[in-house]
Amino acid sequence: MVGSVNIDHQGKGGYVSDEVLGTFLPIVVYWVYPGLYLMLGNMDNYRLHSKKDEDEKNLVSKKEVVKGVLLQQNVQAAVATVLFAVTGDGESGGDQHASIFVLGRQLFVAMLVLDTWQYFMHRYMHQNKFLYKHIHAQHHRLIVPYAFGALYNHPLEGLILDTIGGALAFLVSGMSPRTSIFFFSFATIKTVDDHCRLWLPGNLFHIFFKNNSAYHDIHHQLYGTKYNYSQPFFVTWDRILGTYMPYELERRPEGGFEAKPVKDCKEH
């Protein structure tokens, strides 16, 4: 458990600080979690797209995706390092006696802040033709998303949506570096899962969140680019502002599922 890590606030003894863990553990999680999916194999009976679609429809190679993600993660690490240095007070473990209520409130506020920021920034990047063409379209080169492509964005989009959004969630919620380890690691896992292009039985994200892999897959299709902007947790803003596209899952004859918008919504 992260909470059991020994902390040396003076930097002696070789221990890892909460600030370092908060900066780099989400990056490690980002690559480890997709690795678990890779070990499961193709999972053809649970795919939202066929392997053929993934190979033929995507407009960018997996090598370029990896390079793009690593670039964004370098920027995120640099910003996180500066943010912790500016906000740090030498008490990185200062919330270890905080109540469950306080921690829960901080995490919930952080989720709301990140969702709100990303919804409106994401939607604006779709509505502004210049921003879409020159920035956000890079992410939509993955018409068939997959797990380790979750953070494949234009560097400027990664900075605006993810890095600044994460910084705002951290600052507004008042969470400590230790709490941020849990929050950003969870947010990373959730984002990766939303792009995993699988619909696995018993997936807790599908049970507890309407914002899931099928919901986000709709957004990556041509008919869904003006819908389902919310990420990474809830679908609240989509429902409030009329950009929610309901869908239904259908079994494909060759195996797997297909997320299809309900008929009335697609015609609209």
Side-chain angles (χ1 to χ4, degrees), residues 123-140:
R123 182 174 178 176
Y124 184 65
M125 285 190 176
H126 273 273
Q127 294 178 333
N128 185 297
K129 293 182 179 180
F130 178 86
L131 291 179
Y132 183 83
K133 179 179 179 180
H134 296 284
I135 296 179
H136 188 57
Q138 178 168 326
H139 181 67
H140 280 273

Side-chain angles (χ1 to χ4, degrees), residues 7-16:
I7 305 297
D8 183 350
H9 301 302
Q10 306 302 318
K12 300 175 182 178
Y15 298 118
V16 179

Side-chain angles (χ1 to χ4, degrees), residues 70-84:
L70 289 175
L71 173 60
Q72 177 169 333
Q73 289 177 330
N74 281 324
V75 174
Q76 286 181 336
V79 172
T81 300
V82 172
L83 184 64
F84 285 139

Side-chain angles (χ1 to χ4, degrees), residues 80-120:
T81 300
V82 172
L83 184 64
F84 285 139
V86 171
T87 61
D89 57 5
E91 298 291 336
S92 62
D95 68 341
Q96 57 184 325
H97 300 300
S99 68
I100 295 297
F101 173 79
V102 170
L103 294 175
R105 183 195 66 202
Q106 290 175 340
L107 293 173
F108 185 66
V109 169
M111 292 167 79
L112 291 180
V113 170
L114 187 57
D115 263 24
T116 299
W117 175 262
Q118 292 206 348
Y119 174 85
F120 287 101

Side-chain angles (χ1 to χ4, degrees), residues 212-223:
N212 51 47
S213 56
Y215 164 90
H216 194 66
D217 181 74
I218 290 290
H219 176 74
H220 272 258
Q221 309 313 306
L222 292 178
Y223 55 75

